[in-house]
Amino acid sequence: MFKHIKKLQYTVRVAAPNPGLANLLLEQFGGPQGELAAACRYFTQGIGEDDPGRKDLLLDIATEELSHLEIIGTIIALLNKGAKGDLAEGIDKEATLYRSLTGGGNDSHITSLLYGGGPALVNSAGAPWTAAYIDTIGEPTADLRSNIAAEARAKIIYERLINITDDPGIKDALGFLMTREVSHQQSFEKALYAIHNNFPPGKTPPVPEFANVYYNTSSGGEVRGPWNSDKNFTYVADPQPGVDGGDGGASVALPSKQQTTAQAMAARTRSDIGTDPITGAEVGGAKAIIEKQTPPGQAAAAPKKKAAIAIKVKPATKAKASAKDKAVPKGKTAAKKK
């Protein structure tokens, strides 16, 4: 059950309208790191959580994220308020109105026209919000780590937004929202480490012989650190295929009938490595034309550097004279065949 209080969690003061900034702030309204995505992520986790402590934590933070959605949406609406009225009443000439919406070199004219200047569930590039942003998997140790990362990403976006505005009231409100991301991250970390067996995620243990091995699988620029140190990992400098002791191949056991049909298909489609087939590219190439014009028994002359240009091809419309036509003396007309 929800009870909405019509006052904001934090006071919003906007010094002047700014459609361009409003468009950028949509990133935290309908973007992947935004407040709606966070609220939905934590609600789905909290509803499915069996631990009473984590359930309480997740539902509290989810509800607070909705209040943050309300704050960021209110800022967007106030920044667009002037443009919203201008669009609705049409008081400016079209060129003046268009310049006012695009003066910052942004796409705010798109969101203003489509959504009337109100906060839309899109990101700053106009892409619609999607439930694909929610990455809940139903394992607390995995979900809490994902939540920690989500709060860190949201904090960085708020930092960037603070850096692109000189409006003191907006900076103040965004600073509050950024700080709450840090607070939530700390709560999620405490909840994660309150689970004694929190690593690795899940119940099934890793295969021991591969759990602490580091494979150097890219050559050049190797750097050794705690992530691949001999203290923490067995470092394999030149890994080879078949680390399991096998040949690194692949096989499948098929029923006899399928084995027969699979072999028949393989035989029918097998490549003949003993042939050198002529391809369409070769038939239409300069080499093929030269060979076609060379009389039988005579070796083709080596093509010049510009063979394709030097080759003379007889016009297709000029037919070869028949033996009978060659026998008619010059100036005489061949007799018509009866």
Side-chain angles (χ1 to χ4, degrees):
M1 183 184 75
F2 288 90
K3 179 181 178 182
H4 180 253
I5 299 172
K6 295 178 180 63
K7 294 290 186 179
L8 298 174
Q9 185 187 22
Y10 197 83
T11 306
V12 171
R13 301 177 182 87
V14 176
N18 187 335
L21 179 59
N23 197 73
L24 295 174
L25 289 174
L26 284 171
E27 195 63 37
Q28 287 303 86
F29 193 77
Q33 321 305 335
E35 303 295 351
L36 179 62
C40 291
R41 180 184 295 112
Y42 306 150
F43 266 125
T44 55
Q45 292 174 15
I47 290 171
E49 180 60 70
D50 294 319
D51 182 87
R54 289 195 299 270
K55 189 179 190 75
D56 181 48
L57 166 69
L58 288 163
L59 293 179
D60 279 345
I61 294 181
T63 306
E64 185 181 353
E65 300 291 12
L66 284 180
S67 74
H68 294 175
L69 184 73
E70 189 176 28
I71 292 172
I72 199 78
T74 300
I75 296 173
I76 293 168
L78 294 177
L79 288 170
N80 273 332
K81 188 172 284 293
K84 181 178 181 180
D86 292 345
L87 280 168
E89 302 304 320
I91 61 173
D92 291 328
K93 292 182 179 180
E94 59 269 21
T96 303
L97 180 57
Y98 186 79
R99 280 196 299 271
S100 71
L101 295 174
T102 60
N106 55 73
D107 292 331
S108 64
H109 60 290
I110 298 175
T111 51
S112 295
L113 286 173
L114 288 177
Y115 309 110
L121 286 178
V122 297
N123 68 359
S124 58
W129 187 89
T130 170
Y133 295 154
I134 313 305
D135 55 5
T136 297
I137 200 170
E139 162 57 43
T141 57
D143 284 337
L144 287 169
R145 284 186 169 88
S146 178
N147 297 350
I148 292 165
E151 295 291 330
R153 291 192 297 268
K155 195 261 186 184
I156 296 302
I157 296 295
Y158 275 124
E159 273 191 21
R160 294 171 181 173
L161 290 171
I162 290 170
N163 291 336
I164 60 173
T165 180
D166 56 3
D167 187 316
I170 294 178
K171 278 182 175 288
D172 183 55
L174 295 182
F176 167 75
L177 295 174
M178 180 196 71
T179 302
R180 294 306 298 160
E181 307 294 348
V182 176
S183 177
H184 295 164
Q185 181 175 345
Q186 293 182 94
S187 292
F188 287 137
E189 289 209 25
K190 290 291 186 182
L192 172 64
Y193 292 109
I195 303 172
H196 294 296
N197 298 318
N198 65 74
F199 186 84
K203 180 180 179 181
T204 306
V207 180
E209 56 263 41
F210 304 122
N212 297 99
V213 178
Y214 185 94
Y215 295 112
N216 178 43
T217 54
S218 58
S219 300
E222 286 80 1
V223 178
R224 300 297 298 275
W227 53 86
N228 61 9
S229 67
D230 293 333
K231 177 182 177 181
N232 299 318
F233 297 92
T234 299
Y235 185 84
V236 181
D238 186 23
Q240 298 299 317
V243 296
D244 58 334
D247 60 4
S251 61
V252 59
L254 294 174
S256 58
K257 184 177 180 180
Q258 288 187 333
Q259 181 72 23
T260 301
T261 56
Q263 290 174 346
M265 181 189 69
R268 178 174 56 81
T269 59
R270 183 177 292 114
S271 298
D272 186 354
I273 60 175
T275 62
D276 185 14
I278 297 176
T279 66
E282 293 171 311
V283 170
K287 180 180 177 182
I289 296 174
I290 294 172
E291 291 176 347
K292 185 176 181 181
Q293 293 180 343
T294 303
Q298 182 178 337
K304 297 180 180 179
K305 290 184 178 180
K306 295 184 178 180
I309 298 175
I311 297 169
K312 293 181 180 180
V313 181
K314 294 181 180 181
T317 56
K318 187 176 180 181
K320 292 183 179 180
S322 64
K324 187 174 181 180
D325 290 338
K326 292 179 181 178
V328 178
K330 188 175 182 181
K332 299 284 186 176
T333 304
K336 293 183 178 179
K337 187 175 181 180
K338 294 181 181 180

